[in-house]
Amino acid sequence: MWKAGKREAKCFQSGIVSRFPAFHILDPSVVSTASSPIALSIVIPVYNEELNLPVLFARLYPVLDALGRTYEIIFTNDGSADRSITLLRAQHAARPEVTRVIDFNANYGQHMAIMAAFERVQGEVIVTLDADLQNPPEEIPKLLGKIDAGHDYVGGYRVDRQDSIFRTVASRLINYAREHTTNIRMTDQGCMLRAYRRPIIDAIVQSGAINTFIPALAYSFAGHPAEVGVRHEERHAGASNYSLYRLIRLNFDLITGFSLAPLQYFTMFAMACSAGSFLLVLILAGRRIFVGPEEGGLFTLFGILFFLISVTMVGIGLIGEYIGRTYQVVRARQRYHVREILERR
Ligand code: UDP
Ligand code: MG
């Protein structure tokens, strides 16, 4: 268990509701790998999903009840501004034996919400799922089948994806960039319907990653990964929480978090530009000596100069991305703050 765990556990025994900040100094030697009485943990991040939660509850619990395995569902309320937390509270009251709720004080993003749940899961097998019903809960047994067949990481890929053309095309581009810059191989990185064996989750928790992309991080720890096609539905209600800006940020996390290739490609490109510029200088110097002073070509020079300046700016931005992430790791500030945890022990 992580260090604050003991303190929390004591308080859970004394009451259903406890209030604690999250501490994130992990001691790798004490992360639990002991056999747990719970077979399955379902992890669901929730951000402004009041319209989807009632349908999710109605579809998810029967699927899990029918499995005949012990299970728990951990919802992380990621700073929702709507009634999501009220609905989660009611659900916890209705099914306290299998429902746990982590309530963040603010919005820290989907992957941090999943991370907070990972730090507290008790199951031997962990499944992540979106709250908006784009990942049908009825597909969970499919993933479990693969896990039972001996795989430690089972990624879903969306068959017949139900998203806008823009999202689908953007995903393809990012898939391509990831394939060529990292050694992470997966068909559909955006699909959050995934199953993991416990040791992978323990490794993710120990990594203490900040700006991360969980499916990719998990893949890097997997020994025997597999993939399975899963149905994809349209968002049941509401709109995606990802604006273009947030999508770009998330995909920066994916690429910069797993590879230095962008920096290396940039350096190679800068070297090619330098060689070209050097050649240009030689040509211009030769003309100055053999042809004499010339006025023509000024705008061409400007064109070349502006191009090189813009390339330099991209390079500085790129370096900044890495430095910013390094800074966040070095600063070691707590990554999220838990306002409250609802669970029964
Ligand atoms: N989510 C979250 N925090 C955020 C954004 C999203 O917990 O800041 C949750 C959201 O409630 C949903 C899942 O992450 O359960 C996927 O989000 P969304 O459906 O908006 O993403 P999309 O399917 O469009 O990629
Ligand atoms: Mg969605």
Side-chain angles (χ1 to χ4, degrees):
M1 284 294 265
W2 51 299
K3 275 190 171 165
K6 278 189 203 141
R7 225 177 85 190
E8 277 191 337
K10 258 190 209 153
C11 300
F12 291 144
Q13 285 159 8
S14 59
I16 294 176
V17 177
S18 58
R19 284 174 162 273
F20 283 104
F23 296 103
H24 297 283
I25 301 158
L26 297 167
D27 181 348
S29 64
V30 290
V31 168
S32 160
T33 45
S35 69
S36 144
I38 294 183
L40 179 64
S41 294
I42 308 288
V43 166
I44 307 180
V46 176
Y47 181 54
N48 295 339
E49 302 285 9
E50 63 178 359
L51 297 174
N52 296 321
L53 286 176
V55 189
L56 176 69
F57 298 152
R59 281 174 58 180
L60 178 63
Y61 284 76
V63 170
L64 299 178
D65 289 334
L67 284 176
R69 307 186 187 199
T70 48
Y71 72 88
E72 62 173 1
I73 308 177
I74 309 190
F75 296 94
T76 307
N77 176 41
D78 187 16
S80 299
D82 66 358
R83 289 176 51 253
S84 294
I85 187 64
T86 314
L87 297 177
L88 291 173
R89 266 179 210 288
Q91 185 59 25
H92 175 256
R95 296 290 303 269
E97 74 289 359
V98 289
T99 310
R100 301 167 72 193
V101 179
I102 300 168
D103 186 23
F104 280 179
N105 72 313
N107 179 241
Y108 294 92
Q110 176 186 357
H111 292 256
M112 215 27 79
I114 294 174
M115 196 66 113
F118 279 179
E119 286 172 3
R120 295 160 175 84
V121 286
Q122 294 177 330
E124 278 307 311
V125 175
I126 292 91
V127 171
T128 54
L129 193 73
D130 282 350
D132 60 0
L133 291 159
Q134 290 204 274
N135 310 135
E138 296 77 15
E139 298 287 82
I140 292 174
K142 232 189 228 179
L143 300 182
L144 296 179
K146 283 266 181 199
I147 289 274
D148 293 343
H151 296 280
D152 55 354
Y153 172 58
V154 181
Y157 59 87
R158 294 167 284 194
V159 177
D160 193 15
R161 184 168 171 186
Q162 302 293 317
D163 269 324
S164 66
I165 296 276
F166 162 71
R167 283 294 295 268
T168 314
V169 171
S171 267
R172 289 226 180 96
L173 286 176
I174 291 297
N175 250 323
Y176 181 86
R178 180 201 22 84
E179 284 285 321
H180 290 84
T181 55
T182 71
N183 50 13
I184 300 199
R185 301 282 165 262
M186 53 178 71
T187 310
D188 183 6
Q189 69 221 353
C191 181
M192 290 309 288
L193 184 53
R194 284 167 193 275
Y196 313 89
R197 278 204 168 273
R198 183 56 186 256
I200 297 208
I201 300 303
D202 287 342
I204 291 178
V205 170
Q206 279 181 28
S207 79
I210 297 183
N211 293 302
T212 196
F213 197 89
I214 283 170
L217 187 60
Y219 181 90
S220 67
F221 297 131
H224 194 27
E227 293 199 297
V228 60
V230 289
R231 264 188 308 125
H232 190 237
E233 294 179 3
E234 270 188 54
R235 205 169 213 287
H236 174 258
S240 168
N241 292 300
Y242 282 96
S243 60
L244 179 61
Y245 171 74
R246 287 191 77 171
L247 269 182
I248 292 175
R249 293 231 46 89
L250 183 67
N251 286 302
F252 270 14
D253 286 344
L254 172 63
I255 303 296
T256 61
F258 294 92
S259 151
L260 290 180
L263 282 178
Q264 286 154 355
Y265 284 148
F266 186 81
T267 313
M268 282 183 237
F269 181 65
M271 281 160 68
C273 281
S274 307
S277 316
F278 183 63
L279 213 64
L280 194 69
V281 170
L282 284 185
I283 293 170
L284 289 176
R287 288 189 71 92
R288 179 70 181 80
I289 293 165
F290 297 112
V291 184
E294 292 175 296
E295 280 185 9
L298 190 65
F299 288 101
T300 317
L301 259 186
F302 266 129
I304 295 169
L305 202 66
F306 287 159
F307 171 68
L308 288 181
I309 290 175
S310 63
V311 169
T312 314
M313 282 161 59
V314 171
I316 293 173
L318 188 61
I319 295 168
E321 285 291 329
Y322 282 95
I323 293 182
R325 284 165 168 71
T326 313
Y327 169 62
Q328 281 181 322
V329 174
V330 171
R331 188 174 58 177
R333 187 175 292 167
Q334 83 181 42
R335 296 170 298 169
Y336 56 81
H337 181 70
V338 175
R339 185 159 50 188
E340 192 176 358
I341 295 180
L342 304 178
E343 63 185 347
R344 197 172 77 171
R345 292 275 170 107

